[in-house]
Amino acid sequence: MSDMEIRSQLRAFILENYLFTDDQNALSDTQSFLKAGILDSMGILELIAFLEEELGVMVAPAEMVPENLDSIDNLMAFIVNRIPA
Amino acid sequence: MFIPDQVWLRCEQNPNAVAVEHGNSKLTYGQLADVSSRYASRLNNLGLARQERVVICLENSIEYVVVFYAIWRLGGIVVPVNARSTATELALVVRQCSARLIVTSPAVASTLSKSLPESVEVETIEPSLDLFASLGLTEAIPLQQQVPLSSDDIAQILYTSGTTGDPKGVVLSHENLAINTDDIVRYLQLNQQDRVLTILPFHFSYGNSVLHTHLVTGGTVIVGFQMVFPQQVVDGLRQTKATGFSGVPTTFRSLVKLTDIAQFPPPLRYVTQAGGAMGVDLTQQLLAALDARTRLFVMYGQTEAAARITYLPPEKLNDKMGSAGHALEHIVLSIRDDDQRPCATGCVGEVYAQGGNIMQGYWQNPEASACVLTKYGLKTGDLGYLDADGYLFITGRKVDMIKVAENRINPLEIEEVICQSDSILEAAVIGVEDERTGQRLVACCVSRSGQGDSLMVKRHCAQQLVGYKVPREVVWLDQLPKTASGKIQRFKLLEQLQGLCDA
């Protein structure tokens, strides 16, 4: 999967499940999910399940921090080299 | 003594002790008395009178606590609401309790202007490092005295999803809160050295109780942590040297599964669990993960009971695994059948709780109050039995409420919102079992045109309702199963959905 495909999968997951739209303009890649009220404690669990089940990226407890998970850009930086081939 | 009097006494006795801690910011008891009496004076100047309602719509923060106790200093009634409420939800509460004032963040205030009655004043607070500046207190003179309170004075109104339609305001008197708080403080053996880290929102009955029980004992309440990042909460427990922690089953599921708590258990004195039944498996996993010296209290209650009804003493946890515990000191429990006749030991019936902590009623809703306040006390709507030792075991719920994580949700409220859309003929919202959150919301909709737009349904709900009330899934059906009298059969819907998933 190319970086662009991964990014678009992540965006689609957030847009459909938390912003309830397919309008790409509704989410910028730098937007903090927390500050914008997009994700709460249940949402973050679903996001982690998505990373693990759909993309095969396992997330260790110590990695569940905003620097890794709290925007599309942060997510990309965190997972891009970890997706199994 | 009522809670505010007890807290003011702590402020006098121990002004340098820390009452609330948020990151590097600390509010001592001395500052709590000073700043909240100044804020009370500000509210007084705005004309707030005894027993008038003030809605607080703020995240857990030092400011929240200051504003709360300022309202009590004036004899006002505090109406705390979810800081994430939508403008529609907030306006509904403001109207329902005829609030005089709403205290909220500038961001929320900017969404509100159109939907509020003109008589309501809006005070905004932007939490900042300078507490005086954020509260607008630079020149306020402290209101020296607590307005005298009497036992039937109303202390607060907590809004909860009712069993029919609109949300209901649970009216708690100062006496209700004092009695329940006193019981809880005693069984948790709270003291001045206790430092509780709370992730529970203060507008929620459980979080409200955690706040006041620790302030009346002169302990410290630590805020600013969220379960969104569970490992940060565990790190926070260690860094802040917390002695106590409170959570709901989903909190503990996250802690056990997603953090290193089991490898490095923080040295907590006590952990409390309420907000829904926690399965035996999870309880055992949690016990195994906690430090051997940590006392785990399983508790049961309702907003209508000021918070707590029963607790399970930690030393009985293994012996009575699965039980919600025995009645608090000032509560009499009974199990009754549909005709309110007492059930025998071990027989399942509805749980009733009688005591000085039971609410005064639902705000301006005598019909709804009469349904649950009986001569045997509060009719909880929960089903269960008492064993021979008087320990309560909850087996289910009598009414169609859905519980997603710690949130009690009335499906009717969501159905009404969905049906506002012209394209929807009818809708039923049900709770489907979910390993992460206990239940998750599924909206079963019938479209007028035969074609449904699921995202549209969710988007519409998200505009009107707080996040946890937005259905996670939308399924489209040709019709909803109904009884001869036209009532939706929710259990049949659940079976149908099960069939769809298995197929």
Side-chain angles (χ1 to χ4, degrees):
Chain A
M1 222 175 349
S2 73
D3 287 8
M4 221 153 80
E5 285 166 330
I6 300 166
R7 188 178 290 269
S8 94
Q9 269 202 32
L10 286 171
R11 289 182 55 85
F13 174 76
I14 299 289
L15 283 167
E16 277 174 31
N17 289 292
Y18 304 99
L19 294 164
F20 316 113
T21 178
D22 45 22
D23 175 8
Q24 292 293 330
N25 296 319
L27 177 70
S28 86
D29 285 352
T30 53
Q31 175 71 64
S32 154
F33 301 146
L34 279 196
K35 287 203 182 108
I38 295 171
L39 287 186
D40 59 9
S41 56
M42 279 185 260
I44 209 88
L45 293 185
E46 290 167 343
L47 172 63
I48 290 165
F50 175 79
L51 297 178
E52 298 193 339
E53 286 156 26
E54 301 295 322
L55 299 176
V57 175
M58 301 316 275
V59 188
E63 293 170 333
M64 291 174 200
V65 292
E67 299 73 56
N68 290 339
L69 302 175
D70 195 24
S71 71
I72 294 289
D73 279 349
N74 293 11
L75 277 169
M76 282 302 290
F78 172 54
I79 66 171
V80 83
N81 293 319
R82 305 174 54 150
I83 295 181
Chain B
M1 249 197 309
F2 301 127
I3 292 177
D5 305 309
Q6 294 183 52
V7 172
W8 303 135
L9 196 62
R10 292 290 172 193
C11 295
E12 268 174 44
Q13 290 170 336
N14 219 347
N16 297 322
V18 177
V20 190
E21 203 173 291
H22 187 168
N24 291 322
S25 305
K26 291 180 169 68
L27 179 79
T28 65
Y29 277 89
Q31 288 168 325
L32 171 60
D34 180 53
V35 186
S36 59
S37 58
R38 285 175 200 269
Y39 198 72
S41 150
R42 183 183 166 94
L43 296 176
N44 198 22
N45 292 338
L46 287 170
L48 184 73
R50 255 179 78 87
Q51 296 289 286
E52 282 191 315
R53 275 74 59 206
V54 182
V55 171
I56 306 183
C57 178
L58 294 171
E59 302 276 357
N60 286 9
S61 55
I62 286 175
E63 285 79 2
Y64 179 103
V65 180
V66 167
V67 171
F68 196 113
Y69 277 83
I71 297 164
W72 272 358
R73 200 165 181 90
L74 275 173
I77 300 174
V78 184
V79 187
V81 298
N82 191 331
R84 303 258 162 108
S85 304
T86 64
T88 317
E89 289 169 314
L90 208 46
L92 191 67
V93 167
V94 167
R95 277 172 206 279
Q96 219 264 330
C97 72
S98 330
R100 178 68 207 283
L101 192 74
I102 166 163
V103 184
T104 189
S105 64
V108 171
S110 67
T111 66
L112 278 177
S113 47
K114 277 165 273 168
S115 37
L116 289 183
E118 274 183 18
S119 56
V120 182
E121 302 213 41
V122 181
E123 279 275 283
T124 58
I125 292 181
E126 179 82 89
S128 75
L129 288 175
D130 182 350
L131 189 59
F132 273 54
S134 71
L135 293 168
L137 288 180
T138 36
E139 283 165 33
I141 301 153
L143 187 83
Q144 292 300 345
Q145 298 291 322
Q146 162 74 45
V147 168
L149 299 168
S150 69
S151 57
D152 50 4
D153 272 346
I154 298 169
Q156 56 184 152
I157 304 176
L158 293 174
Y159 274 83
T160 158
S161 279
T163 46
T164 55
D166 288 341
K168 292 185 175 58
V170 172
V171 175
L172 298 170
S173 68
H174 278 284
E175 186 167 82
N176 290 152
L177 288 175
I179 288 176
N180 205 236
T181 301
D182 194 48
D183 275 350
I184 299 167
V185 165
R186 202 156 334 108
Y187 72 70
L188 291 178
Q189 298 176 314
L190 298 180
N191 62 65
Q192 284 177 330
Q193 273 71 51
D194 276 320
R195 296 168 53 76
V196 70
L197 186 150
T198 180
I199 46 96
L200 300 164
F202 291 147
H203 75 271
F204 179 47
S205 168
Y206 186 10
N208 185 62
S209 164
V210 169
L211 173 65
H212 301 304
T213 48
H214 287 78
L215 292 182
V216 299
T217 43
T220 302
V221 179
I222 303 163
V223 300
F225 290 90
Q226 290 185 9
M227 277 311 288
V228 181
F229 296 107
Q231 184 61 46
Q232 291 188 330
V233 172
V234 176
D235 293 341
L237 288 172
R238 295 185 195 119
Q239 282 153 14
T240 63
K241 301 196 164 57
T243 63
F245 181 71
S246 299
V248 299
T250 46
T251 313
F252 296 117
R253 194 170 295 116
S254 296
L255 289 188
V256 168
K257 289 206 173 152
L258 302 177
T259 75
D260 63 5
I261 191 166
Q263 283 90 55
F264 312 103
L268 295 167
R269 186 179 75 73
Y270 60 96
V271 167
T272 69
Q273 180 267 311
M278 185 155 85
V280 171
D281 284 356
L282 182 55
T283 307
Q284 272 160 348
Q285 286 167 17
L286 176 61
L287 265 183
L290 292 174
D291 187 281
R293 285 159 297 182
T294 303
R295 288 158 60 79
L296 172 61
F297 290 84
V298 171
M299 324 190 294
Y300 158 75
Q302 275 197 346
T303 307
E304 285 85 345
R308 265 333 110 226
I309 295 174
T310 64
Y311 81 100
L312 185 57
E315 53 280 7
K316 293 280 185 190
L317 193 55
N318 277 319
D319 193 21
K320 299 285 183 188
M321 187 59 80
S323 167
H326 61 64
L328 264 55
E329 196 173 331
H330 291 95
I331 294 175
V332 176
L333 269 188
S334 61
I335 307 290
R336 296 178 180 276
D337 66 15
D338 288 346
D339 300 318
Q340 298 193 345
R341 282 178 307 223
C343 297
T345 300
C347 291
V348 173
E350 189 168 353
V351 181
Y352 285 67
Q354 196 162 31
N357 59 320
I358 302 300
M359 66 162 180
Q360 307 298 296
Y362 295 113
W363 179 257
Q364 293 187 338
N365 195 339
E367 295 84 20
S369 306
C371 289
V372 297
L373 293 178
T374 72
K375 61 178 168 178
Y376 306 110
L378 174 71
K379 190 172 182 296
T380 63
D382 288 318
L383 298 174
Y385 65 90
L386 288 171
D387 75 3
D389 301 320
Y391 283 79
L392 176 68
F393 290 77
I394 300 284
T395 56
R397 254 203 85 75
K398 209 168 171 186
V399 281
D400 283 328
M401 298 292 277
I402 301 173
K403 200 138 192 177
V404 175
E406 70 277 23
N407 304 298
R408 225 168 97 182
I409 300 170
N410 180 357
L412 295 178
E413 186 189 353
I414 305 167
E415 288 160 10
E416 272 172 28
V417 169
I418 295 176
C419 291
Q420 287 166 359
S421 164
D422 289 338
S423 59
I424 305 289
L425 188 62
E426 55 182 355
V429 172
I430 55 174
V432 175
E433 209 172 306
D434 183 276
E435 61 165 327
R436 278 188 282 267
T437 55
Q439 285 183 300
R440 72 171 185 280
L441 295 178
V442 176
C444 307
C445 301
V446 180
S447 151
R448 274 184 205 284
S449 63
Q451 281 198 321
D453 179 346
S454 302
L455 281 183
M456 183 277 291
V457 172
K458 292 185 193 175
R459 199 162 54 230
H460 178 67
C461 288
Q463 282 158 0
Q464 308 277 324
L465 301 165
V466 64
Y468 67 82
K469 293 182 188 166
V470 178
R472 300 302 298 144
E473 283 168 50
V474 179
V475 295
W476 298 92
L477 301 171
D478 295 335
Q479 55 181 19
L480 299 178
K482 292 195 190 108
T483 61
S485 61
K487 206 171 168 254
I488 295 169
Q489 291 170 300
R490 291 169 195 280
F491 70 97
K492 282 213 173 146
L493 262 179
L494 209 54
E495 286 170 11
Q496 272 187 20
L497 282 194
Q498 216 70 51
L500 284 177
C501 295
D502 296 342

